[in-house]
Amino acid sequence: MNDCRVFMILKELALMGSMNRYTMIHTSELGKRVGMSQQSASRWISIMEKRGLIEKEKYGRNIRVKITSLGRVYLKKAHFDFTMIFGDSRRVELRGEVMKGLGEGRYYIMKEGYRKQIEEKLFFEPFPGTLNVRVYPNYRKRVKEIREGEFISLDGFEENGRKFGRVRAYFATLNSYPAALIVPEMSQYRDVVEIISDVKLRDKFDLKDGSEVLLVIYL
Amino acid sequence: MNDCRVFMILKELALMGSMNRYTMIHTSELGKRVGMSQQSASRWISIMEKRGLIEKEKYGRNIRVKITSLGRVYLKKAHFDFTMIFGDSRRVELRGEVMKGLGEGRYYIMKEGYRKQIEEKLFFEPFPGTLNVRVYPNYRKRVKEIREGEFISLDGFEENGRKFGRVRAYFATLNSYPAALIVPEMSQYRDVVEIISDVKLRDKFDLKDGSEVLLVIYL
DNA sequence: ATTACTAACGTTCGAGTAT
DNA sequence: TATACTCGAACGTTAGTAA
């Protein structure tokens, strides 16, 4: 069955915002996001339109697409499957304020040993730097809860005789934008957490030191 | 990318229980479930083993597989994607007791007009019959909540001049087993709900009239 | 009964390119 | 700029069958 192609692209379109409204897309960008050529992405868009999973319309030289109710049902089913697999998984909210970093985050993120695992296990290319968030006191016991929850393990490694320890990662959102929380297993701090993402979060949300942010961690 | 094949099969294996333990599988059954031949399923299992997503071991003439932590991460990512798409979707619990049906459910389910849509939009072949559940009084206001929530629409149709109305469907579980709740749009009853599934639920859970069941509806 | 190899067959891919 | 067509090459599929 080639249904899986259709699912993959449908999911990507949903993530690009085509769920409830017509969204302008570029077949080359879509192709890049799902790992195929512009030509293939274009072809699949046509196939999916014929199958009634999306609506497509020309928009000047571009196209706009919108997921149909049938397409939505396809996605819903997959979502249901994952709910069956993982149960009703926990979500933990944290609030805190942005803190000046020490530039260390950038140093670590750039290490090939971590970078590679971030791409492999968190599925994004990290912006080279971390956002440090000081969690407000009344949320700090939740940090402990997170540490004890299910995590994604980024293995430690050695480089030029220097050891880099194992790091725990968690899928998360910062102000609703997809990101990840990373916690070195050796770290002591319980009130400061580090966030990585595929963009510079400081710029995306115009964050200054002291800005309040909302984190949601998905265990 | 053929990653989507891997995802699809990994999800299926997870649904078959390979997430946390070695599970005996049959490549022919797996193939049927994902819509490919026994030979292809066998080949993909080998590929996924090489890629470190599952562990495989011979078990007599059969094989046993177990999803690795890397495989789990793949699934987790997809689950996270769906959480981004649908937000933290609601789940509603109902409790009630099994009720004698009037044989009507069977009559409706067997109508090609509904059957086809069940396979297309709910993704299972329905057992020909419905399980009627009388919801306990203190759960009845939740039935209203469900009716007003997001539903999957099974369109009405006409057959030999007789009209069959539109039906609302919801993904659900009965005693944790995947099923669907169906509600004819015209129906009056608010205290009795009808459940369909791919198996005879009465037999699966050895239900008699009056047996208590737990329903979870995923809106 | 299984799983899994081989070989012939289809499908899908993407470079080139028209629009 | 875009999207989307053609077509030869690459890849995935399955029937047959060995183990």
Side-chain angles (χ1 to χ4, degrees):
Chain A
M1 288 289 264
N2 58 42
D3 266 16
C4 61
R5 242 95 180 160
V6 160
F7 262 97
M8 176 180 62
I9 297 170
L10 208 52
K11 172 157 81 69
E12 204 58 45
L13 289 175
L15 289 169
M16 290 164 80
S18 306
M19 187 68 115
N20 297 308
R21 58 175 204 281
Y22 272 104
T23 316
M24 199 176 95
I25 62 160
H26 296 267
T27 53
S28 53
E29 191 207 337
L30 176 63
K32 197 191 288 179
R33 289 178 66 136
V34 299
M36 54 173 58
S37 68
Q38 174 271 320
Q39 291 91 331
S40 290
S42 169
R43 210 184 32 247
W44 281 108
I45 287 293
S46 298
I47 293 168
M48 288 166 65
E49 188 195 15
K50 280 198 196 82
R51 287 183 52 179
L53 298 167
I54 59 173
E55 282 166 18
K56 185 179 96 170
E57 58 176 38
K58 281 222 172 305
Y59 190 68
R61 278 190 175 72
N62 306 317
I63 53 171
R64 300 199 310 162
V65 300
K66 182 182 161 185
I67 294 171
T68 63
S69 65
L70 181 61
R72 192 184 171 90
V73 165
Y74 268 58
L75 291 169
K76 196 97 187 161
K77 158 65 173 169
H79 186 212
F80 180 63
D81 283 345
F82 281 106
T83 306
M84 294 297 98
I85 292 169
F86 288 103
D88 302 290
S89 52
R90 274 186 306 156
R91 148 208 152 102
V92 181
E93 280 189 27
L94 295 179
R95 282 175 198 277
E97 58 183 42
V98 173
M99 232 187 87
K100 191 186 290 306
L102 302 167
E104 277 196 312
R106 183 191 184 90
Y107 172 73
Y108 283 102
I109 288 298
M110 292 304 280
K111 287 286 162 212
E112 204 35 41
Y114 288 132
R115 265 193 75 87
K116 221 183 110 193
Q117 288 185 81
I118 290 169
E119 286 181 30
E120 217 175 273
K121 298 178 184 173
L122 300 177
F123 303 88
F124 63 83
E125 286 181 44
F127 169 82
T130 63
L131 185 76
N132 292 34
V133 175
R134 183 191 297 281
V135 177
Y136 294 146
N138 44 332
Y139 287 93
R140 284 180 194 161
K141 70 164 89 97
R142 295 192 183 175
V143 176
K144 197 169 166 243
E145 191 188 334
I146 292 164
R147 280 174 174 255
E148 287 162 358
E150 189 192 325
F151 55 86
I152 294 159
S153 185
L154 307 183
D155 304 323
F157 56 95
E158 213 173 306
E159 197 182 272
N160 304 328
R162 174 133 162 48
K163 278 194 177 167
F164 293 85
R166 184 187 295 270
V167 170
R168 295 183 179 182
Y170 306 82
F171 287 118
T173 55
L174 183 133
N175 294 350
S176 297
Y177 188 83
L181 185 152
I182 54 174
V183 182
E185 289 205 341
M186 289 311 179
S187 101
Q188 315 284 353
Y189 300 105
R190 309 236 148 189
D191 52 343
V192 178
V193 296
E194 290 190 89
I195 309 299
I196 59 173
S197 185
D198 64 339
V199 296
K200 184 168 185 177
L201 292 167
R202 266 184 191 267
D203 290 354
K204 181 163 184 76
F205 293 105
D206 194 29
L207 302 172
K208 320 283 182 205
D209 293 343
S211 299
E212 178 171 332
V213 291
L214 167 65
L215 292 168
V216 182
I217 287 83
Y218 295 87
L219 295 177
Chain B
M1 287 288 265
N2 59 39
D3 265 17
C4 60
R5 241 93 179 161
V6 160
F7 263 97
M8 176 180 61
I9 297 169
L10 208 52
K11 173 157 81 69
E12 205 58 45
L13 289 174
L15 289 169
M16 290 165 80
S18 307
M19 187 67 116
N20 298 307
R21 58 176 203 282
Y22 272 104
T23 316
M24 200 178 93
I25 62 160
H26 297 266
T27 54
S28 53
E29 191 207 338
L30 176 63
K32 198 191 289 178
R33 290 179 64 135
V34 299
M36 54 173 61
S37 67
Q38 174 271 318
Q39 293 88 334
S40 288
S42 170
R43 192 161 39 82
W44 282 108
I45 287 291
S46 298
I47 292 168
M48 288 165 66
E49 187 195 16
K50 282 199 194 82
R51 287 183 52 178
L53 297 168
I54 57 173
E55 282 167 18
K56 185 180 95 170
E57 59 175 38
K58 282 222 171 305
Y59 189 67
R61 276 190 176 73
N62 306 318
I63 54 171
R64 300 199 309 161
V65 300
K66 181 182 162 187
I67 293 171
T68 63
S69 63
L70 181 61
R72 192 182 171 90
V73 164
Y74 268 58
L75 291 169
K76 196 97 187 162
K77 157 65 173 168
H79 185 211
F80 180 63
D81 282 344
F82 282 106
T83 306
M84 294 296 99
I85 291 169
F86 287 104
D88 302 291
S89 52
R90 273 186 308 156
R91 143 205 157 104
V92 180
E93 280 188 29
L94 296 179
R95 282 175 198 278
E97 58 183 42
V98 172
M99 232 188 87
K100 192 185 291 303
L102 303 167
E104 277 198 312
R106 184 191 182 89
Y107 172 72
Y108 283 102
I109 287 296
M110 293 304 280
K111 287 286 163 213
E112 203 35 40
Y114 289 133
R115 266 192 76 86
K116 221 184 110 194
Q117 289 185 80
I118 291 169
E119 287 182 30
E120 217 176 273
K121 299 178 183 173
L122 299 177
F123 303 87
F124 63 83
E125 284 181 46
F127 169 82
T130 63
L131 185 77
N132 292 34
V133 175
R134 185 192 296 281
V135 177
Y136 294 147
N138 44 332
Y139 287 93
R140 284 181 194 161
K141 70 164 90 99
R142 294 192 184 175
V143 176
K144 197 170 165 242
E145 190 188 335
I146 291 164
R147 280 175 173 255
E148 288 162 358
E150 188 191 326
F151 55 86
I152 294 159
S153 183
L154 307 184
D155 304 323
F157 56 95
E158 213 173 306
E159 197 181 272
N160 305 328
R162 174 131 161 49
K163 279 193 176 170
F164 294 84
R166 184 187 294 273
V167 171
R168 295 184 180 183
Y170 306 82
F171 287 119
T173 56
L174 183 133
N175 294 351
S176 298
Y177 188 82
L181 185 153
I182 54 175
V183 183
E185 289 205 342
M186 289 312 180
S187 103
Q188 315 283 353
Y189 301 104
R190 311 237 148 187
D191 52 342
V192 177
V193 296
E194 291 190 90
I195 309 298
I196 58 174
S197 185
D198 64 338
V199 296
K200 184 169 185 175
L201 292 166
R202 264 184 193 267
D203 290 355
K204 178 161 185 81
F205 293 105
D206 194 28
L207 302 171
K208 319 283 182 207
D209 293 342
S211 299
E212 178 172 332
V213 292
L214 167 64
L215 291 167
V216 182
I217 287 83
Y218 295 86
L219 296 179

